[in-house]
Amino acid sequence: MRRLLAAAELVAALFLLAIALLTSGNVVLRDVFSYQIPDWYDGARMLLGIALFWGVALATYYGSHICVDALWEHLDTGGRRQLDIVATVCTLAFLVPLAWMVWVKVAGTGTQGTMDLRMPLWIFYSVASVGTTVAVMLAIARIVLLWRGETDRLRPPALDDQAEATHVA
Amino acid sequence: QDKPVEMKFAHWLPPTHSLSKTGFEPWAKSVEAASKGSIKVALYPAQQLGKAADHYDMARDGIADMTWVNPGYQAGRFPLIAAGELPFLVGKPGTGSAAIDAWYRKYAAQEMKDVKFCFAHLHVGTMHSKKPITEPSQLKGMKIRSSNGTNAAFMTLLGATNVQVSAPEARDALDKGVADAIAFPWDSIVSFGIDKAVKYHTDMRLYASDFVWVMNKGWYDKLAAGQKKVIDDHCNNDWAGKVGAAWGDFEDGGQAKLEKSAGHTIVKLTPQQLDQWKKAAEPLYGQWVQAADKAGFKGQEALGELRKEIEARKAN
Amino acid sequence: MSRDLVALLGFLGMFALMAVRVPIGVSMGIAGVCGFAALSGWKAGFNLLANVPLSVVTDYNLSVIPMFILMGAFASRGGMSRELFIAGRAWLGHLRGGLAMASVAACGGFAAINGSSVATAATMAQVALPEMRRAGYHPGLSAGLIAAGGTLGIMIPPSVIFVLYGIMTETDIKKLFAAGVIPGLLAVGFYFIVVQVIARMRPDALPRGEAHAWRERWASIRGLWAVILLFAFVLGGIYGGLFTVEEGAAVGAAGTLLIGILRRRLKVPDIRAALIDTLRVSSAIMTIVIGAFLFGYFLTITQFTQKAVDVLVHLPVGAYGVLALVMVGYFILGAVMDELAMILLTVPVVFPAMMQLGFDPVWFGVIVVMAVTFGMICPPVGINVFVINSIARDVTLGRIYKGTMPFIAVDVVRLVILCAFPAISLWLPSQLN
Ligand code: NA
Ligand code: NA
């Protein structure tokens, strides 16, 4: 499970790299050779959407969303765990209709395609959509693990010695 | 007296835009007056209820009751109405709007089946550039800010590259050379301040963009009979022509403004040059027919019908 | 139920969810969807979920945010933040409070190649804070200084907050970036003054460091070529017409990566860590953006937004009175709330009101960034302070907050100056045309 999630996170993160390379590659080709990479624009958008939906799913599991800690930090370990269960249940209540409705959106995408190559959008939307479905499953897993007190398994894999606390803008 | 209802009408233009003044507001006032106040229209401009590209789905889903949609924002989704975007098909926005509306009315129930179609209209624009452009071969290697999918495909066909910038950013992109030319309606060149960056305006009808007004079906179905009639009377070919003329003529008026202002040149084309452009655009017609066929329409036949409507109204 | 009541319940519900530690974005989303459903039916409410989140995450304009964050992550892991500090130390270290000034200067320099306040604070807390403490600097004061210095990250371009403000208000992001330069430099100057005053009052808190030979000084400048090149290339390319702002962010990220690889500073594990870090930060931010859109559409149909604008515009206190009230409001909200959520929720109301009162949209962008700045370093909830505390575990929150106080004080002065003289912000953007 941990390795699977770490792999998913790495793939989503590589999509960000792909956006950077696709966009700058296109800029160079356009400015130097008057050529453009077909669908670089829609391609970058789709990569971004997929990466972020999967990133949100992982943030839900690891509990690394931005939260108001005012109440939480005045609680003891047990209280914190209970509050986290309540919060995750609320999050799940949001994610279930979200995942459902995003699939509805995918189903309604029809013949829509990318601007240049008319690659069907529903394919990209589906990959993003799987991310929201995974988010639902991960939220359930988080609730179970919190319930059992296995909070260690919810810690995000360490990146390296650099501090991890680089949240928010 | 019918039970009063509110219509949430969403669009993505700023409230100060000319179409607000020439289209949305007069239409809303007319509906309110004809329904003796039993239909109140609340306008939600400037993407207040959703992104520009989502406006069709917003009407379908009941997020708004009526929306203004550019079907071209969702490439490939509405292949039939994309005919209105074909280059050099339509010349006059008023009668052209009436023509496309009369033609599309037959197909709307099939292509836009999740909403209630109100009417369609269009505007026509041209190429504005830093250097005079007379022939299609000049576009090779140029960076163009195009206006819609069909226009972008045309530019690619001519060997140009498309630059993605929003309308408010367009001026700066042209100023700084991120883009060399822009496909835009005439007056918007002035109102967006782009006239500071481009001095040459080719006098041709290079592209058209079409638009539809669509309604949420459930909202319409719940109306009383009298209210339905009011809406029906405002969702007809007359209004399509009226809105198309009011906005389109306003946009075209920009040509005269630019002609008079110092430093601007309206680049005239010889008939031979115009023919070159039209010839260059021909593959797009073939592509459109193919796409329409693929979507289950009879492409060639439909295109013939559209041409007939346009000629009948002398809109070319 | 009246619309006003629904709007009120929406706000209450949102805050209640936040209080039980439901993620801020999710709290806004739940309140937005339920509120929309209360007024337009459940079908419409749920349909918001079909359209809005996917639309937000596939919005190309928003790609600027992860790209500028990625650029900073590559720069930091590629050692550029350290080079900035080393240069600052070589030139300023021998002065009173020299290392403190070197840290401020390094914050300003790092701000020029990344778009985030928290990332700037976190990076400098790792690079500069240990050095200051080794030299015997007061820990709380040093940490407070870096918390404040971190806010330069969003004032000096590129800046995530300017980007969000620009997208929300359709203000030219290039002008906003330019508008932040002089206020950012002003901040550096003011922080220098604070350091000097404290160093004179309490020489033991901010001692002198050792002097560096000229040879070393020039060498430290040479180490900065990558930072200067990146800043010049990205900003120069954006203003010179090579690429748009959105493209510039991606070019900056790719360029920083390339430099790091060429200098053999970025190895595969570093690149991997920078990417994953950026994904985590961006996802956390984007959840809030999604929630803010959902809640915003709900507020629109309650017509609360329009009414609130009307109330603000017609307050009988004059334009500057309204501005002062807005700033006090931001000060209070920012102290207790997440700044991103604060901006996303309030700008739709405050911005149109400010425009109707005749203020400049670009100038107001600078004022909004100032408001965010306060929120990030003010107790009880200052994200920069939290981040530094998480890196320097032994310096308590209380001591860091105490350390930020002198800097908050000069920030207030700077805010007043920026309000009194809009030209400080607007001169540079006006030179662009
Ligand atoms: Na910055
Ligand atoms: Na705060």
Side-chain angles (χ1 to χ4, degrees):
Chain A
M1 175 85 162
R2 277 193 82 75
R3 284 171 63 185
L4 204 64
L5 291 182
E9 189 172 42
L10 180 61
V11 173
L14 283 171
F15 279 21
L16 294 181
L17 179 64
I19 296 168
L21 297 180
L22 186 60
T23 306
S24 16
N26 185 65
V27 165
V28 171
L29 289 174
R30 183 187 66 206
D31 289 357
V32 181
F33 301 104
S34 297
Y35 173 80
Q36 71 183 340
I37 301 173
D39 271 336
W40 71 272
Y41 181 82
D42 280 339
R45 284 177 48 221
M46 293 301 127
L47 287 170
L48 183 68
I50 294 168
L52 290 174
F53 265 6
W54 280 83
V56 169
L58 292 158
T60 305
Y61 180 75
Y62 295 134
S64 52
H65 279 296
I66 301 163
C67 300
V68 175
D69 293 336
L71 175 61
W72 184 83
E73 66 194 3
H74 290 288
L75 299 174
D76 60 9
T77 323
R80 286 182 178 182
R81 218 179 72 207
Q82 280 164 9
L83 194 64
D84 279 342
I85 291 175
V86 171
T88 314
V89 169
C90 292
T91 307
L92 181 66
F94 177 74
L95 289 174
V96 169
L98 172 69
W100 179 262
M101 291 312 297
V102 174
W103 280 115
V104 170
K105 176 85 177 179
V106 172
T109 303
T111 49
Q112 262 187 86
T114 55
M115 205 49 125
D116 300 330
L117 303 176
R118 297 290 159 97
M119 292 184 280
L121 283 193
W122 68 263
I123 295 178
F124 301 101
Y125 282 179
S126 298
V127 182
S129 203
V130 173
T132 54
T133 306
V134 168
V136 169
M137 299 191 303
L138 289 179
I140 295 169
R142 178 175 168 81
I143 293 168
V144 171
L145 291 175
L146 283 169
W147 189 270
R148 289 205 207 133
E150 296 174 41
T151 45
D152 276 356
R153 293 174 61 186
L154 294 172
R155 207 163 289 144
L159 297 179
D160 53 9
D161 53 343
Q162 267 215 357
E164 308 254 331
T166 39
H167 281 308
V168 218
Chain B
Q1 181 69 4
D2 295 322
K3 188 170 154 264
V5 291
E6 188 194 59
M7 170 191 269
K8 294 196 290 280
F9 186 159
H11 65 86
W12 69 88
L13 295 171
T16 49
H17 190 276
S18 56
L19 182 59
S20 288
K21 306 291 173 205
T22 58
F24 303 138
E25 285 170 20
W27 189 89
K29 281 208 188 85
S30 180
V31 165
E32 289 182 356
S35 67
K36 302 200 177 59
S38 90
I39 303 176
K40 202 183 156 300
V41 182
L43 288 168
Y44 290 95
Q47 309 194 69
Q48 276 179 6
L49 285 182
K51 300 259 182 237
D54 287 336
H55 273 60
Y56 178 85
D57 288 348
M58 284 156 56
R60 179 192 68 189
D61 297 343
I63 292 166
D65 308 313
M66 166 83 91
T67 60
W68 182 63
V69 180
N70 181 342
Y73 281 175
Q74 296 181 306
R77 183 168 188 186
F78 306 107
L80 203 71
I81 200 169
E85 297 176 352
L86 288 169
F88 307 111
L89 189 61
V90 178
K92 299 189 183 72
T95 48
S97 292
I100 189 108
D101 178 78
W103 170 77
Y104 193 62
R105 224 154 251 289
K106 295 192 288 286
Y107 297 107
Q110 196 179 342
E111 186 166 80
M112 300 194 177
K113 57 177 177 298
D114 335 284
V115 294
K116 182 158 173 54
F117 172 79
C118 181
F119 61 80
H121 62 107
L122 51 75
H123 76 220
V124 192
T126 187
M127 178 79 79
H128 313 266
S129 51
K130 292 198 250 190
K131 290 186 195 126
I133 293 176
T134 50
E135 281 157 33
S137 59
Q138 283 172 278
L139 290 193
K140 196 169 168 53
M142 279 178 71
K143 290 173 280 185
I144 315 281
R145 194 276 187 184
S146 49
S147 58
N148 57 38
T150 307
N151 181 232
F154 192 19
M155 297 300 108
T156 309
L157 200 63
L158 298 176
T161 55
N162 292 299
V163 180
Q164 307 279 354
V165 287
S166 64
E169 281 177 300
R171 179 204 160 165
D172 203 63
L174 288 156
D175 252 342
K176 301 286 159 54
V178 173
D180 305 313
I182 180 169
F184 224 53
W186 283 96
D187 191 79
S188 293
I189 284 285
V190 183
S191 58
F192 280 90
I194 301 171
D195 56 327
K196 309 276 190 310
V198 287
K199 300 295 175 194
Y200 296 93
H201 316 274
T202 308
D203 189 10
M204 62 174 161
R205 307 306 259 168
L206 178 73
Y207 81 90
S209 278
D210 42 22
F211 306 91
V212 290
W213 297 32
V214 297
M215 246 177 298
N216 178 262
K217 277 187 165 168
W219 183 86
Y220 176 81
D221 289 343
K222 277 196 207 118
L223 293 177
Q227 291 169 323
K228 277 187 183 154
K229 176 153 192 328
V230 171
I231 294 296
D232 292 343
D233 290 345
H234 286 80
C235 286
N236 55 23
N237 192 256
D238 278 353
W239 271 97
K242 243 193 276 190
V243 171
W247 184 31
D249 291 352
F250 177 84
E251 284 291 356
D252 286 350
Q255 179 166 359
K257 279 190 211 169
L258 286 165
E259 203 153 17
K260 269 181 250 153
S261 52
H264 284 274
T265 309
I266 310 294
V267 180
K268 302 282 178 190
L269 298 186
T270 64
Q272 290 84 353
Q273 285 167 335
L274 190 59
D275 275 348
Q276 284 181 26
W277 284 95
K278 288 184 175 171
K279 205 170 193 95
E282 260 163 28
L284 296 169
Y285 284 73
Q287 284 167 18
W288 179 84
V289 169
Q290 254 180 7
D293 285 345
K294 211 174 137 201
F297 301 94
K298 292 195 177 98
Q300 205 62 52
E301 205 179 302
L303 186 61
E305 287 167 15
L306 178 57
R307 283 190 198 277
K308 233 179 263 162
E309 295 283 0
I310 291 167
E311 271 152 33
R313 290 175 175 77
K314 299 195 171 51
N316 40 351
Chain C
M1 252 194 299
S2 83
R3 285 170 171 172
D4 294 335
L5 183 60
V6 176
L8 180 71
L9 289 176
F11 272 110
L12 289 178
M14 177 182 74
F15 287 127
L17 288 167
M18 284 183 191
V20 296
R21 209 168 179 257
V22 175
I24 290 172
V26 174
S27 305
M28 292 195 281
I30 292 176
V33 169
C34 293
F36 204 97
L39 292 170
S40 297
W42 280 104
K43 192 163 171 279
F46 277 143
N47 276 321
L48 275 184
L49 288 175
N51 291 314
V52 179
L54 198 61
S55 208
V56 169
V57 293
T58 57
D59 184 344
Y60 185 70
N61 294 319
L62 286 170
S63 72
V64 187
I65 293 171
M67 288 302 111
F68 275 138
I69 293 173
L70 184 59
M71 182 178 172
F74 283 145
S76 164
R77 283 169 203 275
M80 294 183 190
S81 43
R82 176 162 298 280
E83 283 161 342
L84 281 159
F85 179 73
I86 288 171
R89 188 179 58 188
W91 287 84
L92 303 167
H94 61 291
L95 302 172
R96 272 201 192 92
L99 287 186
M101 295 203 292
S103 303
V104 171
C107 283
F110 192 64
I113 51 169
N114 94 99
S116 149
S117 163
V118 175
T120 307
T123 302
M124 285 304 151
Q126 290 162 56
V127 172
L129 193 55
E131 303 265 352
M132 283 197 276
R133 297 186 68 183
R134 209 170 299 135
Y137 277 51
H138 185 278
L141 204 51
S142 306
L145 169 104
I146 287 174
T151 64
L152 293 171
I154 47 169
M155 185 60 93
I156 294 177
S159 158
V160 165
I161 301 294
F162 274 138
V163 167
L164 272 176
Y165 175 87
I167 292 174
M168 273 196 294
T169 63
E170 303 201 325
T171 307
D172 188 344
I173 292 169
K174 286 201 280 292
K175 285 193 177 150
L176 290 167
F177 277 6
V181 172
I182 297 178
L185 294 176
L186 199 62
V188 173
F190 274 23
Y191 294 166
F192 276 4
I193 293 172
V194 172
V195 168
Q196 286 309 310
V197 169
I198 296 176
R200 265 156 232 268
M201 282 161 43
R202 295 174 56 191
D204 57 314
L206 301 176
R208 280 174 196 275
E210 54 193 294
H212 291 252
W214 280 101
R215 193 170 40 79
E216 228 177 304
R217 288 180 180 171
W218 294 122
S220 78
I221 295 280
R222 275 204 300 280
L224 289 183
W225 66 266
V227 173
I228 295 166
L229 178 74
L230 268 178
F231 178 73
F233 181 62
V234 172
L235 273 296
I238 288 173
Y239 290 103
L242 286 177
F243 32 73
T244 63
V245 174
E246 292 80 11
E247 291 164 351
V251 170
T256 314
L257 172 64
L258 183 69
I259 292 176
I261 291 174
L262 291 177
R263 296 166 99 190
R264 296 170 200 280
R265 301 255 183 93
L266 287 177
K267 302 276 186 331
V268 171
D270 308 307
I271 297 170
R272 192 173 146 259
L275 286 170
I276 290 178
D277 208 6
T278 303
L279 178 74
R280 289 182 185 172
V281 176
S282 308
S283 306
I285 291 176
M286 226 45 91
T287 305
I288 292 186
V289 176
I290 291 170
F293 269 103
L294 290 168
F295 195 75
Y297 294 142
F298 156 59
L299 279 190
T300 303
I301 61 158
T302 64
Q303 292 171 350
F304 167 86
T305 317
Q306 297 91 312
K307 282 178 206 159
V309 171
D310 230 41
V311 169
L312 266 186
V313 170
H314 293 107
L315 285 177
V317 291
Y320 281 90
V322 175
L323 177 67
L325 281 176
V326 165
M327 287 315 296
V328 170
Y330 274 151
F331 205 95
I332 296 167
L333 272 180
V336 294
M337 195 174 164
D338 176 71
E339 288 71 31
L340 206 62
M342 169 178 93
I343 292 306
L344 289 166
L345 286 176
T346 58
V347 162
V349 172
V350 173
F351 179 78
M354 287 297 143
M355 294 309 105
Q356 285 182 40
L357 292 168
F359 290 110
D360 183 275
V362 174
W363 168 82
F364 189 63
V366 175
I367 300 304
V368 162
V369 169
M370 284 300 302
V372 171
T373 295
F374 286 120
M376 287 179 150
I377 54 177
C378 272
V381 183
I383 184 77
N384 281 16
V385 173
F386 287 173
V387 165
I388 292 168
N389 171 253
S390 74
I391 293 166
R393 276 277 156 213
D394 58 322
V395 190
T396 61
L397 284 175
R399 291 177 82 189
I400 308 178
Y401 279 128
K402 224 173 136 196
T404 61
M405 286 308 154
F407 301 98
I408 293 175
V410 287
D411 278 348
V412 173
V413 174
R414 180 161 56 110
L415 174 65
V416 171
I417 292 176
L418 292 177
C419 288
F421 306 101
I424 295 173
S425 313
L426 294 178
W427 176 77
L428 195 57
S430 75
Q431 296 306 105
L432 288 177
N433 293 332

